[in-house]
Amino acid sequence: MFADRLSDEDDDDLDERDIPGFTAPGLLPAPAIDKGKSRAPDPVAPTSGASAPAQAVSGKIGSSNAPHKPARQTVGGIRVETRYTGVDTLDEPVTTTITRDLLSIYSKLGQVLYPRKATGREVLRDWDLWGPLLLCLALGMMLSVNAPASQALGVFTSVVVIVSVGSLAVTIQAKLLGGRVSFFQGLCVLGYCIAPLDIAALISCFVRIIWVRAPIALAAWAWCIWASINFLDGTKIEQQRILLAVYPLFMDDFDTMIASFIGFVRYMYIVLVFREHFCSPLLQLAAADQGKMFTLIECPSGTGQLISRLTSDEIDIAIALTDPLIAGIAKGSKAYKLIGSYVTSPLRWAVITGSEVSAYKQISDLRGTTLGISRNGSGSQTMAYVMALQQGWPTEDLRFQVNNDIRGLIDSVNKGSTSAFMWEWFTTKPFADAGECRFIGEVPTPWSSWLIAAHPTRPAPSDVREFLDKLSGYVRTFASPEHRAGPSVAFIQQTFGYPEEDVKAWLQAVAYPDDCAEIPARVITNTLANSLDIVRHLPVSVLQKAGVVTAPQGGFDLAQFLDTDIVKLT
């Protein structure tokens, strides 16, 4: 009965009577009891002259023929297990120790890759941390190497934290459910069970197709759970509770799988664009792509907001007005580089005032008044200086009010807080046709309209080139003569609701590049020259408020504006 009770309580079905030096409690001599002075003393032990019955001693002391079983004892309320392997490892060569550890890791990996119920208890009993450390580091390094530079450290750290915190959660959950597992045993189990995720990460380093990566990541996650269930079965948790014990592993391995998948699809960068009719080819590409390569985010406040979000690392690629992009780099911004062209024709800026009849009937009437802009450094502010120079006004008299977006600008001129603002002609024409505002003139840009910029490190150059190549195809199709005569007109009408005559008038004037991955050198030089011309007419006090630049000694190096790994300067 006593042996049966021990067997039920022991993790390894160990018979303590096999431990050297063990004596069953029933065979121990009873301790002497102090019966007090009124009691007769206990019988005195036999004198040396009395001979006790001799007991035969048998067995092979120190023999290694019998298997060595772990010895357990309770010390200070803590159950301690010692194990003798039959080999003296203190003086063995280091190569022997490393080889033995590698073989142990290999054995446990085999049990993970092909889980068998009978082996779960063995892994928990013979736990180690070398294997989990190597697997965790390998997974973290593979994901961080394939992640954008700004996310590499976070990806690596997340893997280590998820595995560590997950081990603690597994240990607590198993303890609460009556299992017998320590923190290090939980760390060992979880560490070895991420081996399938290492395999998925390795495959995804070479396979870049998202529809292949996703099933691989899901299969690896399911594989991790399968192996974990087998190992947790060795903790002697009741079968009906095993799923509760596995629940933290579902969440932990799923988080690791998601972290892996994010690292895999790092080319899912964001293209942020201000939605206008100019963006029609990009919108067509986005509809065909369906979020596989990029995601569009609208920027209603215009180019100033767009560049601000690009500078603050919120987006990866921006299609924006030429002059603010070039001015930002010329003033020292390292947040982006030019990677391509989008629209090569000048932009037609309308000068817009309130809908009610007022003193503002032509551009000359705006002298000395407050002009509305979307934000400082935006195209609406730069073009206000261009307009002032064309009109011969003293630029130090210009005053601005920031109104954020097109709606704020229209409300401002109608309320009288500003006299006028400048915005792209065809974008604001529907508002004028609806009677919300009036056009009193126009000012074309002295440079081409739109360029493409990208963060210098986040998106992979190969992915950016692929994006530009696909965009070039849609641009050529949209701008072809046969599409300008029909399909392109219909697309703009359906998407933006512009009248047919306005769409045709715009298509007759707009020009797109044949290859979006090329930038003519004259685009940069002409933009800088015109900006410097503005500078020469501006006082220093207003220069900081304008989206213009000052020339450094020796002039500008065009290479500083370009990501030469992607764009070609023509």
Side-chain angles (χ1 to χ4, degrees):
M1 178 185 300
F2 178 69
D4 292 341
R5 181 170 60 83
L6 281 178
S7 177
D8 290 340
E9 294 179 354
D10 189 82
D11 287 350
D12 304 312
D13 296 332
L14 177 68
D15 189 349
E16 278 86 346
R17 289 174 296 180
D18 291 337
I19 303 174
F22 174 83
T23 306
L27 302 178
L28 291 173
I33 302 174
D34 183 6
K35 300 178 181 179
K37 294 182 178 179
S38 62
R39 294 282 186 171
D42 289 335
V44 180
T47 62
S48 58
S51 59
Q55 297 183 4
V57 179
S58 62
K60 298 180 180 180
I61 299 176
S63 172
S64 60
N65 293 337
H68 298 277
K69 296 185 177 181
R72 296 183 180 181
Q73 55 182 329
T74 301
V75 179
I78 301 175
R79 196 174 191 186
V80 179
E81 174 183 300
T82 58
R83 200 179 282 119
Y84 176 59
T85 63
V87 179
D88 184 5
T89 62
L90 185 61
D91 299 321
E92 70 180 4
V94 175
T95 54
T96 303
T97 304
I98 294 176
T99 301
R100 184 175 59 253
D101 290 340
L102 290 177
L103 289 175
S104 175
I105 293 173
Y106 174 79
S107 174
K108 292 183 179 67
L109 282 177
Q111 295 172 24
V112 170
L113 300 179
Y114 181 61
R116 300 178 297 281
K117 262 197 170 183
T119 61
R121 192 176 303 173
E122 297 175 9
V123 174
L124 288 173
R125 185 183 63 222
D126 299 325
W127 60 267
D128 70 86
L129 299 181
W130 281 114
L133 175 63
L134 295 176
L135 291 172
C136 185
L137 291 179
L139 181 60
M141 286 188 292
M142 282 188 287
L143 296 183
S144 60
V145 166
N146 287 303
S150 60
Q151 302 175 13
L153 181 61
V155 170
F156 181 86
T157 304
S158 67
V159 173
V160 177
V161 170
I162 287 173
V163 173
S164 303
V165 174
S167 301
L168 180 61
V170 168
T171 302
I172 294 175
Q173 185 83 345
K175 287 285 189 183
L176 292 176
L177 293 174
R180 299 179 181 180
V181 61
S182 69
F183 170 75
F184 292 111
Q185 287 174 326
L187 184 60
C188 174
V189 167
L190 191 61
Y192 274 108
C193 286
I194 65 173
L197 289 179
D198 281 82
I199 297 175
L202 181 62
I203 293 174
S204 295
C205 286
F206 303 99
V207 178
R208 303 189 62 82
I209 302 174
I210 187 174
W211 301 115
V212 175
R213 293 175 174 180
I216 289 176
L218 289 172
W221 172 67
W223 200 346
C224 293
I225 298 301
W226 179 35
S228 302
I229 291 175
N230 169 67
F231 288 153
L232 283 179
D233 186 59
T235 63
K236 293 191 173 181
I237 297 176
E238 297 179 9
Q239 288 296 322
Q240 61 268 27
R241 295 183 175 182
I242 196 71
L243 290 179
L244 290 176
V246 173
Y247 171 74
L249 289 176
F250 270 95
M251 302 305 298
D252 186 78
D253 286 341
F254 185 76
D255 288 343
T256 309
M257 186 269 290
I258 291 298
S260 304
F261 192 64
I262 291 174
F264 295 162
V265 295
R266 64 185 181 85
Y267 64 93
M268 296 283 289
Y269 49 80
I270 298 173
V271 176
L272 187 146
V273 63
F274 180 50
R275 184 179 290 263
E276 290 180 346
H277 45 285
F278 290 96
C279 302
S280 296
L282 179 62
L283 297 177
Q284 293 173 339
L285 172 58
D289 181 72
Q290 296 184 346
K292 299 174 185 176
M293 181 169 52
F294 64 93
T295 300
L296 287 179
I297 297 180
E298 294 187 34
C299 189
S301 295
T303 303
Q305 181 191 20
L306 188 151
I307 295 179
S308 175
R309 298 183 69 174
L310 183 63
T311 304
S312 60
D313 292 346
E314 297 180 35
I315 59 173
D316 296 323
I317 294 180
I319 298 179
L321 294 178
T322 297
D323 45 303
L325 285 177
I326 292 178
I329 298 175
K331 289 189 291 184
S333 175
K334 305 293 184 183
Y336 60 90
K337 294 285 188 180
L338 301 178
I339 61 168
S341 303
Y342 187 62
V343 177
T344 58
S345 54
L347 189 64
R348 186 181 178 187
W349 287 82
V351 183
I352 306 159
T353 189
S355 58
E356 298 295 330
V357 178
S358 64
Y360 311 122
K361 298 180 175 59
Q362 54 191 359
I363 294 178
S364 59
D365 296 334
L366 302 176
R367 180 172 181 172
T369 63
T370 300
L371 301 176
I373 59 174
S374 59
R375 61 182 59 202
N376 289 319
S378 65
S380 57
Q381 186 181 36
T382 302
M383 289 305 298
Y385 283 104
V386 174
M387 178 179 67
L389 292 175
Q390 289 180 354
Q391 295 292 320
W393 301 341
T395 53
E396 61 270 18
D397 293 343
L398 287 179
R399 297 193 303 272
F400 300 104
Q401 177 178 305
V402 176
N403 293 313
N404 297 320
D405 55 20
I406 183 66
R407 176 49 58 188
L409 290 166
I410 292 176
D411 292 342
S412 177
V413 293
N414 283 319
K415 292 177 181 178
S417 58
T418 59
S419 60
F421 68 93
M422 301 182 69
W423 210 260
E424 199 276 326
W425 180 281
F426 289 99
T427 302
T428 47
K429 191 172 184 300
F431 296 100
D433 292 341
E436 295 187 53
C437 57
R438 289 184 297 118
F439 287 178
I440 59 174
E442 65 176 276
V443 179
T445 61
W447 43 69
S448 61
S449 307
W450 300 78
L451 293 178
I452 309 173
H455 190 279
T457 59
R458 280 203 305 268
S462 58
D463 296 330
V464 176
R465 283 191 289 267
E466 180 183 0
F467 165 72
L468 292 175
D469 183 65
K470 290 185 177 180
L471 179 61
S472 298
Y474 278 85
V475 163
R476 286 191 295 268
T477 301
F478 178 84
S480 63
E482 55 271 21
H483 277 75
R484 286 178 187 260
S488 295
V489 175
F491 179 84
I492 295 175
Q493 283 186 274
Q494 294 171 5
T495 305
F496 301 99
Y498 293 171
E500 182 178 356
E501 59 274 16
D502 290 347
V503 176
K504 290 183 176 180
W506 174 74
L507 284 173
Q508 288 178 357
V510 70
Y512 284 93
D514 290 332
D515 186 354
C516 291
E518 294 181 353
I519 297 180
R522 57 179 170 77
V523 171
I524 301 177
T525 55
N526 289 350
T527 304
L528 289 172
N530 282 279
S531 296
L532 294 174
D533 184 60
I534 296 174
V535 171
R536 283 192 289 271
H537 292 82
L538 292 181
V540 176
S541 60
V542 300
L543 181 59
Q544 295 177 349
K545 299 179 182 179
V548 292
V549 297
T550 56
Q553 291 184 354
F556 291 101
D557 179 10
L558 296 187
Q560 77 178 87
F561 295 87
L562 309 172
D563 187 337
T564 54
D565 291 335
I566 299 172
V567 68
K568 179 181 179 182
L569 190 65
T570 60

